[in-house]
Amino acid sequence: MANTFKVKTFDGSGTAANALMNVYTVPTSTTTVVVGLTIANLAASSITVDIKLSAASTVFLVKDVPILAGASLEFMAGNKMVMEAGNTISVISNTANSADSTLSIMEIT
């Protein structure tokens, strides 16, 4: 088994308000440990974001979390989450062109 640390980014510019932004989908034959997730607010005013995990069903990890203008949210804050093949983590912002996402992971293949 190979363990590989990676960073996955999603550029939130060019996205519509309330659009589902798939930050990462776990590849086939892979288990992933999420080490960190940071979302930066690019807008001139506060935004709210949702973070969703799609696995056997789709669930909110956080809902309507405010991020002040020019600030960021560190969602994981030292916790970890295991994702299986085919699982997806997504971010939704209530404001267009407003949320950059950075996901730190370890893939186990």
Side-chain angles (χ1 to χ4, degrees):
M1 296 178 102
N3 297 339
T4 308
F5 285 98
K6 295 183 177 182
V7 63
K8 300 294 181 177
T9 58
F10 186 91
D11 178 359
S13 63
T15 58
N18 301 310
L20 187 68
M21 301 175 280
N22 289 336
V23 178
Y24 174 71
T25 300
V26 180
T28 304
S29 302
T30 304
T31 299
T32 297
V33 177
V34 178
V35 179
L37 173 59
T38 302
I39 303 168
N41 179 355
L42 308 175
S45 59
S46 293
I47 63 172
T48 60
V49 297
D50 301 337
I51 303 171
K52 288 186 173 185
L53 172 65
S54 296
S57 60
T58 299
V59 296
F60 286 96
L61 298 175
V62 296
K63 181 160 178 48
D64 296 330
V65 173
I67 305 175
L68 299 175
S72 62
L73 167 71
E74 182 184 344
F75 170 66
M76 298 301 293
N79 294 312
K80 293 167 189 55
M81 180 174 55
V82 175
M83 296 175 66
E84 298 174 340
N87 293 177
T88 300
I89 194 160
S90 305
V91 173
I92 303 165
S93 174
N94 70 331
T95 305
N97 308 316
S98 65
D100 278 355
S101 301
T102 304
L103 183 71
S104 297
I105 60 172
M106 181 180 65
E107 288 184 338
I108 305 165
T109 54

